[in-house]
Amino acid sequence: MEVEDLFSGGARNEEAKSTGQSPLKSLQVDLDFYSESIREVSMEIIEEGYSSYPIFVAHQHEVSVGEVILDRVDLETNWTINASTLEEFVELDIIQEDRKAAFIQNYKSAKDYMCLFVVVAEGANFVFYPYK
């Protein structure tokens, strides 16, 4: 699956407001604000047995992976967060089956870090961000 495939409709063509700052600065602010909520969802995913590897998709457009848990429009923030799992990422071929073991080996403690798949116009990447 290509990064473009994550976007639904023509949402990718919507350009973020040009502030001269990296959008990742606003992501850091939002993650600090969302931290406790993301930790609660992460622990629930693990405790309910859905996955041992929760992944949160941070985006500013519509994406077709995971379920929205924190909506930027509703919360008047800059980033929306979707909850997903390693299993969904493998199923969607975002993480290839032969790379699953390497991903698990590099996965940081879900009690201490949120695993983020950050989607921006230029592409997407995994980031582990500590809870506040």
Side-chain angles (χ1 to χ4, degrees), residues 93-113:
D93 206 28
I94 299 168
I95 296 175
Q96 296 172 343
E97 184 68 43
D98 64 344
R99 300 292 299 150
K100 182 177 173 181
F103 181 86
I104 290 170
Q105 183 178 1
N106 289 300
Y107 192 90
K108 294 188 178 202
S109 168
K111 292 178 182 169
D112 300 320
Y113 293 88

Side-chain angles (χ1 to χ4, degrees), residues 31 38-39 42-43 45 52-58 69 81-86 89 95 103-104 106-118 125-131:
L31 290 177
I38 293 174
R39 184 193 312 251
S42 180
M43 293 300 102
I45 288 170
S52 296
Y53 305 98
I55 299 172
F56 297 92
V57 183
I69 60 166
I81 305 295
N82 291 15
S84 185
T85 62
L86 170 60
F89 271 61
I95 296 175
F103 181 86
I104 290 170
N106 289 300
Y107 192 90
K108 294 188 178 202
S109 168
K111 292 178 182 169
D112 300 320
Y113 293 88
M114 55 186 90
C115 175
L116 297 162
F117 187 65
V118 180
N125 210 343
F126 286 98
V127 175
F128 289 90
Y129 189 77
Y131 292 111

Side-chain angles (χ1 to χ4, degrees), residues 9-10 13 19-21 27 43 51 75 79 84 129:
N13 294 330
T19 61
Q21 283 189 13
L27 177 58
M43 293 300 102
S51 178
L75 298 169
W79 292 81
S84 185
Y129 189 77

Side-chain angles (χ1 to χ4, degrees), residues 20-41:
Q21 283 189 13
S22 166
L24 299 180
K25 293 285 187 192
S26 66
L27 177 58
Q28 183 178 9
V29 170
D30 285 0
L31 290 177
D32 290 345
F33 177 69
Y34 295 155
S35 184
E36 191 56 39
S37 296
I38 293 174
R39 184 193 312 251
E40 288 176 19
V41 172

Side-chain angles (χ1 to χ4, degrees), residues 36-80:
E36 191 56 39
S37 296
I38 293 174
R39 184 193 312 251
E40 288 176 19
V41 172
S42 180
M43 293 300 102
E44 187 175 306
I45 288 170
I46 294 168
E47 291 167 6
E48 296 291 325
Y50 295 114
S51 178
S52 296
Y53 305 98
I55 299 172
F56 297 92
V57 183
H59 58 93
Q60 294 180 311
H61 307 285
E62 294 299 315
V63 297
S64 57
V65 61
E67 293 183 31
V68 174
I69 60 166
L70 298 162
D71 186 282
R72 68 187 180 99
V73 175
D74 293 344
L75 298 169
E76 298 180 1
T77 56
N78 292 297
W79 292 81
T80 295

